[in-house]
Amino acid sequence: EVQLVQSGGGFVQPGGSLKLSCEASGFSFSNYEMHWVRQPPGKGLEWVSYISSSGSTSYYTDAVRGRFTISRDNAKNSLYLQMNSLRAEDTAVYYCVRDGVFFLYWGQGTLVTVSS
Amino acid sequence: QSALTQPASVSGSPGQSIAISCTGTSSDVGSYDYVSWYQQHPGKAPKLLIYDVIKRPSGGSDRFSGSKSGNTASLTISGLQAEDEADYYCCSYTSSYTRVFGGGTKLTVL
């Protein structure tokens, strides 16, 4: 069974940093592209970032480019999102998601709240 | 990276069919057959309904179908059921190698 178990969310002040983690199991993690998708409270889904299966290629939405960094450790079956210079508008539930051009498997989501 | 355009809400009675549109541009929906659709119930993670415009994931319900014409994709739900009441999102691959979601559509089953 494919599982994506997330951790690392929480409360942070504006300008602060937070690192999200997503541990994968039930499939060969190193063979799959991964993404982060977020959803502000009461609002729609927003694609955040992509990373290739090897970790050599990544892409970001304009709103987070230069502040967020996606990475992975295939030896640990884990995906990460380092979030720096956080803003109130980054407040959202963050999901790690498996696959390339469509999203079949989703993590349980983790809430990040940015507030003073 | 503007969001794809979806109607904010649609409604229908049980047994009826409804369609949800998703309008993008020639840089996303119009250029790639990589449109997917998701259903999201409150407090839950989204669920994949349709991928590659028309394909259903294994075990998916055949009451859900997808299509595309030009820059607009559509999701049709036939034989509407109470449990279909949820939020629906489209998503497309883009020419910048990124992905873009629609703003979401709230489906109300009357």
Side-chain angles (χ1 to χ4, degrees):
Chain A
E1 178 192 8
V2 172
Q3 288 197 350
L4 299 170
V5 179
Q6 300 180 224
S7 60
F11 186 94
V12 62
Q13 293 187 334
S17 298
L18 209 57
K19 186 173 185 177
L20 305 183
S21 299
C22 172
E23 185 170 351
S25 62
F27 64 100
S28 182
F29 180 72
S30 61
N31 289 344
Y32 288 88
E33 300 163 306
M34 299 291 294
H35 302 257
W36 288 98
V37 172
R38 68 183 180 183
Q39 186 170 34
K43 296 188 177 181
L45 300 170
E46 179 184 21
W47 175 84
V48 174
S49 183
Y50 156 95
I51 190 166
S52 62
S53 57
S54 67
S56 61
T57 300
S58 60
Y59 300 109
Y60 300 90
T61 189
D62 289 345
V64 310
R65 188 176 295 113
R67 300 188 298 122
F68 290 12
T69 302
I70 190 171
S71 63
R72 65 192 296 159
D73 185 337
N74 285 343
K76 295 183 177 179
N77 292 334
S78 291
L79 175 73
Y80 307 101
L81 186 67
Q82 176 67 48
M83 303 184 293
N84 298 330
S85 303
L86 282 161
R87 306 167 180 167
E89 54 265 36
D90 296 318
T91 294
V93 173
Y94 285 74
Y95 294 98
C96 70
V97 189
R98 197 195 86 170
D99 285 316
V101 293
F102 58 86
F103 309 132
L104 179 56
Y105 294 104
W106 296 67
Q108 84 275 19
T110 186
L111 178 62
V112 172
T113 303
V114 184
S115 175
S116 55
Chain B
Q1 291 182 337
S2 299
L4 306 176
T5 301
Q6 297 181 231
S9 64
V10 297
S11 63
S13 300
Q16 288 185 331
S17 295
I18 64 95
I20 300 172
S21 61
C22 169
T23 301
T25 69
S26 59
S27 295
D28 39 64
V29 175
S31 288
Y32 306 97
D33 286 338
Y34 294 138
V35 176
S36 51
W37 289 90
Y38 303 86
Q39 176 191 62
Q40 186 180 36
H41 287 106
K44 301 291 188 180
K47 174 186 175 182
L48 177 68
L49 296 175
I50 296 289
Y51 68 99
D52 294 355
V53 178
I54 61 172
K55 298 177 182 178
R56 278 187 299 273
S58 176
S61 172
D62 59 4
R63 295 191 301 107
F64 297 92
S65 61
S67 62
K68 190 185 86 166
S69 177
N71 295 338
T72 299
S74 297
L75 173 72
T76 299
I77 308 174
S78 59
L80 212 54
Q81 300 178 0
E83 56 262 37
D84 297 332
E85 186 160 295
D87 294 324
Y88 292 82
Y89 296 91
C90 61
C91 183
S92 176
Y93 179 82
T94 82
S95 59
S96 303
Y97 310 104
T98 62
R99 317 295 187 262
V100 60
F101 280 98
T105 298
K106 181 176 181 59
L107 170 61
T108 300
V109 180
L110 303 171

